[in-house]
Amino acid sequence: MTYALVINSGSSSIKFQIVDPNSAASDDPFVSGLVEQIGEPNGRITIKHAGEKHATQLPIANHKVGLETSMAMLNELGCGPTQVEITAVGHRVVHGGMVFSVPELINDQVVEMIRDLIPLAPLHNPANIDGIEVAREILPNIPHVAVFDTGFFRDLPPAAALYAINAEVAAKNQIRRYGFHGTSHEFIAGQVPAMLDRPASTVNQIVLHLGNGASASAIKNGHPIDTSMGMTPLAGLVMGTRSGDIDPGIIFHLARNGGMSIDEIDNLLNRQSGVKGIAGVNDFRDLHRMISEENENAWLAYNVYIHQLRRLIGAYMIALGRVDAITFTAGVGENDAATRADALAGLAHYGIKIDKERNELRSGEPRQISTDDSTVRVFVVPTNEELAIAQKATALAAKLG
Ligand code: ADP
């Protein structure tokens, strides 16, 4: 058996998995690990393997120490890079700008190109580069592949990609819609045609990735034509803690009259808004519990969330003209039957009919939740970004031989 190592490196954490690229989306990975509090006195490494959890607490000075210590722990458990065959390392990279659309074999030049994109993702790309650099040092003989969150959406039609702001300013500052969660949208959109028993090039579909971060995409004949996240992942749907689309004038108002700095507004819109901003919680399980206790703010938050979601679904139905499938995925999309039902309630007139029983059935498998006479098929398909990255990295490594 051969595996891929998948690394998702953040500013103070590293998530990693060792994955069989041929496994199913709902399978547990061979190994999953989390390095937390890098640079803090109370670092922590947690590894899950063969149904058991192993945790160590130690100061982790930097990403290199974090990854080296993790690999040593894996080797001790008998599942590390010296014991199992790892044929590729896949790195999640948040921003590929207009430069990268498909996965890229990493060399020094590619690292520099990712570095040049830091102004577009100042929090994410530096952390991704840290992860790439230490992993290349630790595992120099394995091909490393960068998989970009923006890649799938790089060739959006100009009408969807351009913002109606001064063209010179936009060009100078690389302002356009890039879209994010691309690995997930592509992974899900890739599975739907088989469920419809039709070639991908004939399928029009809407994918709703509803996790803590949330985004929607419209895919026409196999190509994305619109997506809800924008130049940054703050745009579009209401999310767990992010506002999604708001009137940009609100930002000027807060700066001029609300006494807030740019950093405070950034924090407000990214971390203190969305469902949490209105209800005080961002987890939909808490939200539903509060709604059942007649908490007014929880009810309002849910309704604002659903309203914005329906607004985007409506927009994409018009953009696509004919919709063959609507698919829910990620934490909320896969688990929250109420959100699915409310997102598509009352649309029988448009050929969208949810089967109540199918929708409420809990399952980790891809499934149809629309009625047999619904002209638009509605699915729940579990996403697995790590598996998708493992598959892409393995495929590119094999191709380059
Ligand atoms: P992330 O964007 O962090 O990858 P996920 O896709 O893992 O997020 O989704 C996490 C969210 O999924 C949680 O915050 C919660 O709102 C929701 N969620 C998870 N399990 C359930 C469940 N059983 N019922 C309702 N919502 C759930």
Side-chain angles (χ1 to χ4, degrees):
M1 181 96 81
T2 58
Y3 296 93
L5 170 64
V6 176
I7 294 179
N8 182 355
S9 176
S11 55
S12 66
S13 71
I14 306 171
K15 288 186 209 151
F16 61 88
Q17 291 192 358
I18 299 179
V19 190
D20 168 7
N22 297 315
S23 55
S26 53
D27 289 348
D28 281 337
F30 180 62
V31 171
S32 67
L34 175 62
V35 184
E36 290 169 287
Q37 311 273 3
I38 297 173
E40 305 287 327
N42 298 321
R44 187 181 163 84
I45 300 179
T46 315
I47 288 173
K48 281 192 215 158
H49 170 58
E52 283 189 34
K53 209 168 166 174
H54 309 267
T56 316
Q57 236 153 352
L58 76 169
I60 301 166
N62 52 41
H63 284 70
K64 181 152 189 249
V65 173
L67 205 57
E68 266 174 356
T69 314
S70 302
M71 294 303 128
M73 280 174 74
L74 295 181
N75 283 332
E76 257 170 55
L77 293 168
C79 57
T82 57
Q83 283 110 1
V84 300
E85 193 184 343
I86 294 175
T87 54
V89 184
H91 294 268
R92 173 175 183 233
V93 178
V94 166
H95 222 303
M98 286 305 285
V99 184
F100 297 107
S101 56
V102 291
E104 196 76 37
L105 186 71
I106 297 173
N107 54 29
D108 292 347
Q109 194 196 351
V110 168
V111 174
E112 285 319 304
M113 289 160 87
I114 297 172
R115 205 185 298 284
D116 288 343
L117 296 167
I118 287 177
L120 290 174
L123 298 179
H124 292 104
N125 275 28
N128 299 156
I129 293 169
D130 281 346
I132 290 173
E133 289 188 326
V134 303
R136 286 177 80 205
E137 257 180 81
I138 296 172
L139 303 167
N141 300 320
I142 304 175
H144 290 251
V145 174
V147 179
F148 299 91
D149 231 30
T150 50
F152 184 54
F153 298 118
R154 201 211 39 186
D155 297 322
L156 283 180
L162 297 195
Y163 290 111
I165 65 173
N166 179 281
E168 252 174 63
V169 173
K172 183 161 169 247
N173 294 282
Q174 302 181 71
I175 294 172
R176 60 181 285 130
R177 183 186 304 281
Y178 293 97
F180 297 85
H181 288 152
T183 307
S184 176
H185 284 274
E186 186 179 14
F187 183 71
I188 299 301
Q191 293 179 54
V192 167
M195 296 169 83
L196 296 171
D197 202 16
R198 284 174 45 182
S201 60
T202 67
V203 174
N204 288 356
Q205 53 174 320
I206 296 174
V207 176
L208 303 169
H209 175 111
L210 310 178
N212 206 15
S215 59
S217 66
I219 295 158
K220 188 168 193 165
N221 298 330
H223 299 289
I225 59 159
D226 206 352
T227 191
S228 62
M229 282 180 167
M231 170 163 169
T232 74
L234 181 54
L237 299 172
V238 174
M239 310 184 210
T241 67
R242 284 176 242 166
S243 62
D245 287 346
I246 59 166
D247 174 352
I250 292 168
I251 295 168
F252 315 135
H253 174 67
L254 289 173
R256 291 193 187 114
N257 308 314
M260 294 180 81
S261 69
I262 287 295
D263 285 343
E264 284 168 341
I265 299 171
D266 188 330
N267 183 56
L268 173 83
L269 298 180
N270 273 296
R271 300 205 173 79
Q272 310 296 334
S273 296
V275 172
K276 184 179 178 198
I278 303 176
V281 299
N282 61 294
D283 191 303
F284 270 58
R285 289 162 285 197
D286 297 328
L287 191 68
H288 286 300
R289 182 180 44 74
M290 288 165 67
I291 293 170
S292 70
E293 292 162 3
E294 295 184 13
N295 181 302
E296 172 84 8
N297 291 337
W299 182 86
L300 275 173
Y302 182 70
N303 280 279
V304 172
Y305 180 96
I306 295 290
H307 183 78
Q308 180 68 348
L309 180 56
R310 289 171 66 91
R311 185 184 257 164
L312 257 298
I313 293 168
Y316 290 171
M317 283 166 60
I318 297 297
L320 289 169
R322 184 201 78 236
V323 182
D324 302 307
I326 300 177
T327 306
F328 290 88
T329 192
V332 176
E334 290 167 34
N335 295 297
D336 195 31
T339 294
R340 294 192 297 256
D342 290 332
L344 299 178
L347 301 180
H349 187 66
Y350 296 94
I352 301 174
K353 292 191 211 165
I354 298 285
D355 182 296
K356 193 167 184 297
E357 233 169 78
R358 287 178 183 168
N359 184 39
E360 284 173 6
L361 189 80
R362 290 195 62 80
S363 157
E365 297 302 314
R367 57 199 183 276
Q368 177 180 326
I369 58 165
S370 47
T371 60
D372 290 337
D373 66 340
S374 178
T375 40
V376 178
R377 306 268 295 276
V378 183
F379 300 113
V380 178
V381 178
T383 194
N384 188 331
E385 284 163 288
E386 291 77 15
L387 174 62
I389 292 172
Q391 290 172 346
K392 284 171 175 289
T394 306
L396 185 62
K399 197 164 117 192
L400 300 174

